[in-house]
Amino acid sequence: MESRKSPEESPLRLTDVCPDLAGEIVALLRDSHPGDPIADSISSLPFHGIYRNYVLTAPEGTPSPWVIELEREQETVFLLGIDSSQSVITWVDVLDGRDLSAASPRQS
């Protein structure tokens, strides 16, 4: 089996780049999954960029076998990709129509 190096940590956090989005996710998670510690992890999630309307909080291609659906007023607004430990959000699919391109810092 090939050894994999740990990806370099992003110097940016999701809360730095998309503070409103992060706040909404925390609020919806706390409402729909009371007591789930994953809501507390939002503030430490790295920001790895935006791909289409997915906000990456782990390197692109990170396995995410679990998905959490978050709703507002009975409408799904976010899908969260969760890693195999079921404790780390790897991506956020934003379904409410907002434009995230302005939030994405330029990558060199």
Side-chain angles (χ1 to χ4, degrees):
M1 177 179 266
E2 184 179 328
S3 173
R4 297 178 76 189
K5 293 182 180 179
S6 296
E8 193 173 306
E9 283 294 316
S10 172
L12 295 173
R13 298 279 170 223
L14 177 63
T15 53
D16 298 331
V17 180
C18 304
D20 293 340
L21 175 73
E24 286 179 66
I25 292 169
V26 168
L28 291 172
L29 273 170
R30 287 196 173 132
D31 285 347
S32 63
H33 297 81
D36 189 334
I38 205 162
D40 297 329
S41 72
I42 302 297
S43 64
S44 64
L45 287 175
F47 176 79
H48 285 272
I50 295 174
Y51 178 73
R52 298 188 184 181
N53 229 31
Y54 286 84
V55 178
L56 301 177
T57 57
E60 187 176 351
T62 299
S64 306
W66 304 97
V67 175
I68 293 176
E69 187 175 322
L70 296 178
E71 296 181 343
R72 184 185 317 116
E73 297 175 7
Q74 299 180 345
E75 181 180 339
T76 302
V77 290
F78 303 115
L79 297 175
L80 309 177
I82 309 297
D83 77 345
S84 57
S85 73
Q86 297 185 24
S87 62
V88 178
I89 298 171
T90 58
W91 51 261
V92 177
D93 187 2
V94 180
L95 304 173
D96 66 2
R98 75 180 75 192
D99 180 16
L100 296 173
S101 62
S104 182
R106 297 272 178 208
Q107 303 284 329
S108 51

